[in-house]
Structure formats: structure tokens, C-alpha cells
Amino acid sequence: MPTDVIAFPPVGAVGSMWTIAAPVQRSQSMITGRRYLSRWGRERRKAMVNVSALALDRSGAGFSEILIRYLDGGANLVRLSSYPINWHLDQARLEGVRSSESLEWSAQGVPLAWQADGQPLLWFNGSVISGVAAGNEIEVSGLPPNTLIARPADFVRAFGALGETEGPIAQIVTEARSDANGAAVLSLFEPLPAGAYARVNIGASESRVFEAQDIPQSPQPLGANWFYQWNFREVFADEVGGFSEVNPW
């Protein structure tokens, strides 16, 4: 039976962490003193989200308490999207400059489809950047010239076609600056599938499933804000019989 995976409630974080835990086994020779290390188990994401009780017009505490109910003492899991690893204000300054998101049109609740010369016409908010991936690099174009457009640990997501909403994601190793023509080469920790991509988003969010390592308890003080600190450890689908996604919000 799949395990319920609850979407994290629509509250922002006043503090966050998104990192990796790579467990190793350690041993040491009693004769020579030589140390031996070997990887043990899977690499997992670890995350922390600190929620203000006064977030969302003072509903942060309520959303946190309802999430506690849905997690059922830890029997259920939660889906998180990563917050910026580098300074969030730098991320905000580049919003729309190095990424795009599709726009959907509607009239009185009815979706509107646009066409040009008999072909579907897609609309985007932001800058549509294209790229070509090879090895542990992706060359991107369509950026503003002579601009620092990526920092180490930023995520980049690539889409094979303009209309796609899902695509492979990788983490950037070092800073990248566009040249005078608005092109740049991103060095990646893990390779993207080789080939051309119609759309690339730099500064994307990674989505993973986690278990709460503890259930926060946060008493309300008199006349001041208070906080719920959530600590999470990644869980894989094959460890729990699969995922059943639930968004109650």
C-alpha cells in the first residue's frame, strides 16, 4: 500500500536548509592505525524549514498544526520543494532574468488556446533560455549580457520542448557569468542527458519526499511571534511501497 505524501502547506520559510547526507562506514587497523572509509547506504537530502506562526496573515501556526495532523505521528510523509541555497535576495533579483514559467489563459474559468499560423502559441513569463548539454556542462543562451547568472549549488532544469513542465535537473558547481552575447557555460555536478533543450531554467527548485524527524512543538508567547522548526530526512518510494500524493490545501 503506497504511503500518503502530503504537500507542504503554502507558507513561506523564515529559515531554511537543503543539503546532502552521505553516510560512510569507518574502521581502523589496530596494527597500522590505517583508516578505512567506504560508502554505506544511499545519499539523501536533509532539509529544514522554519515557519513563522504569523505567516500568511497570521495562519502559519494553524497550517503547521494541520500538517502535524496529516502526518499522523510520522506515518505519512511530506513533499518539499527546495528554497534557495544561496542568499534568497540574490535569487529574487534574478527572477525572470534566467528562467521562465508558462502562462495559461482563461476567460470566465474556461481555458483559452492561442494559435499562430495554425500552430499552438505558447506564452511565458520571464526569459526563455535555450541550452545544449554535453558531459557535465550545459551551454545556455538568451541571457542578459555580462551578468552573473548562476552560483554554486543553484539548480538548473532543462525542458526538451517549450510546452513541457517536467524535465531533468542538475546542480551547478561554480559561478557562471554570461558573455557579451548573452551566452554562458554552466558546470554541473551531475550530467544532464546530452542534447539540445528548448527551454532552461536556472535557479529552479528541486522536489523530494521527506519524513519529519521530529514533530515540532511551539508554545505561543504573549505578544510576540513564534516559530515551527521542521527537520526532514529524505525517503525513497521503494522504502515505503510507493507514494500517494495528497494536496489538501
Side-chain angles (χ1 to χ4, degrees):
M1 169 100 40
T3 300
D4 283 350
V5 177
I6 313 301
F8 197 74
V11 291
V14 294
S16 64
M17 178 188 72
W18 192 272
T19 190
I20 293 288
V24 297
Q25 285 185 324
R26 293 177 172 85
S27 60
Q28 190 169 17
S29 170
M30 295 182 63
I31 298 174
T32 65
R34 182 176 177 181
R35 187 178 66 145
Y36 297 91
L37 294 177
S38 61
R39 282 289 302 273
W40 176 79
R42 288 171 164 173
E43 180 182 86
R44 298 175 190 269
R45 270 44 171 187
K46 294 184 71 176
M48 183 275 288
V49 181
N50 200 16
V51 175
S52 165
L54 301 185
L56 276 185
D57 196 24
R58 298 189 292 279
S59 292
F63 274 118
S64 295
E65 291 293 339
I66 293 300
L67 178 60
I68 290 171
R69 299 277 321 258
Y70 276 116
L71 292 182
D72 192 19
N76 294 325
L77 306 172
V78 62
R79 179 170 290 281
L80 293 176
S81 294
S82 62
Y83 289 89
I85 293 174
N86 294 298
W87 197 29
H88 67 98
L89 291 181
D90 284 334
Q91 176 98 343
R93 291 188 190 101
L94 291 171
E95 201 72 39
V97 169
R98 57 180 187 167
S99 64
S100 61
E101 61 177 330
S102 60
L103 292 176
E104 303 294 335
W105 292 81
S106 63
Q108 299 180 337
V110 179
L112 292 177
W114 292 74
Q115 286 191 339
D117 296 328
Q119 299 297 318
L121 179 63
L122 303 177
W123 292 78
F124 295 94
N125 181 35
S127 299
V128 177
I129 300 160
S130 59
V132 178
N136 281 60
E137 292 182 342
I138 181 169
E139 183 175 359
V140 291
S141 57
L143 296 159
N146 303 316
T147 302
L148 180 66
I149 51 88
R151 297 181 186 274
D154 284 349
F155 289 101
V156 56
R157 188 182 296 277
F159 307 91
L162 284 176
E164 289 184 357
T165 57
E166 296 293 332
I169 193 168
Q171 203 162 21
I172 298 168
V173 171
T174 189
E175 290 181 346
R177 183 178 294 272
S178 60
D179 63 18
N181 298 315
V185 175
L186 309 181
S187 177
L188 308 177
F189 188 84
E190 57 278 299
L192 292 168
Y197 290 93
R199 190 164 64 95
V200 174
N201 280 350
I202 305 170
S205 289
E206 184 182 46
S207 179
R208 298 281 179 144
V209 173
F210 296 84
E211 62 181 350
Q213 293 190 276
D214 46 57
I215 302 298
Q217 295 181 324
S218 184
Q220 179 178 166
L222 183 63
N225 195 5
W226 69 106
F227 303 91
Y228 286 75
Q229 181 168 313
W230 292 90
N231 296 293
F232 296 106
R233 175 181 179 270
E234 186 178 6
V235 174
F236 298 100
D238 60 9
E239 296 173 325
V240 293
F243 296 150
S244 177
E245 304 284 344
V246 179
N247 188 347
W249 316 111

